[in-house]
Amino acid sequence: MTFQRGGKNSVSKKCMQTIQKETLGSGGEEKSHLSKREKMKLRKEQWLQKIEGVKLARQKQKAKAKRKATPVVGDMQPLMEALPELSELTTTSKGRKHPKISQARAKAEPTDFSQMKPAQKRRLLQEEVARFHKVIANPVYKANPLGAISEHLCKRLKQEEGNAI
């Protein structure tokens, strides 16, 4: 049997498999001799195919786990928590007067602090500081801070449940 070398001494996998079958099946009458370089290339190809198989199996496993973890409807709790915050933002923004900003503007401000512009961050921090000073000045809070906070949270939860229904 003769070998035809194509390109840079490349031996196809199919050819190698047929050679191996012939040498094993003939009982050693005719042994085909492969050069060291060809054997190394063959081993490298087999190794790369094995690695590709492992990578493909991992990707399939990850995709399956991702599909399994993704529910059809999804978790609605973050959405429910976000809605009262947006309504609170709209009520606080209605109380303030913006001479430069018209009411027709439909662009919503980002709720994530990292996505806000410096002016938005400064305004939000000023509002929070003012709210904090009001809470500290409240006589109910001064008398019993933990009781005032728990009462406020209970009222807030009842209000959110009433708005959700």
Side-chain angles (χ1 to χ4, degrees), residues 30-139:
E30 180 186 321
K31 282 195 172 183
S32 60
H33 181 66
L34 296 176
S35 69
K36 186 175 183 178
R37 180 177 287 171
E38 290 170 345
K39 289 179 186 178
M40 287 173 45
K41 284 183 181 180
L42 181 65
R43 274 188 253 133
K44 184 178 178 181
E45 285 177 16
Q46 290 173 348
W47 182 70
L48 289 174
Q49 287 176 352
K50 187 176 181 180
I51 289 176
E52 280 298 316
V54 170
K55 283 183 182 179
L56 186 62
R58 278 189 189 163
Q59 287 176 349
K60 285 182 179 180
Q61 243 180 356
K62 283 183 182 180
K64 183 178 179 181
K66 189 176 182 181
R67 285 192 306 271
K68 189 175 182 180
T70 305
V72 176
V73 178
D75 189 11
M76 300 300 282
Q77 189 61 31
L79 181 62
M80 300 263 304
E81 291 174 358
L83 288 174
E85 293 173 356
L86 291 175
S87 64
E88 180 183 323
L89 287 174
T90 56
T91 57
T92 57
S93 65
K94 287 180 184 177
R96 297 179 297 169
K97 292 184 180 179
H98 297 289
K100 296 180 183 178
I101 302 173
S102 65
Q103 295 289 346
R105 189 173 104 180
K107 188 175 179 182
E109 293 182 4
T111 56
D112 188 13
F113 194 75
S114 63
Q115 295 177 348
M116 290 183 175
K117 295 179 181 177
Q120 292 172 329
K121 289 179 183 179
R122 190 177 330 107
R123 188 175 3 160
L124 179 68
L125 288 174
Q126 288 173 350
E127 290 173 2
E128 293 297 323
V129 167
R131 185 177 297 131
F132 180 71
H133 286 298
K134 285 181 183 178
V135 169
I136 290 176
N138 191 341

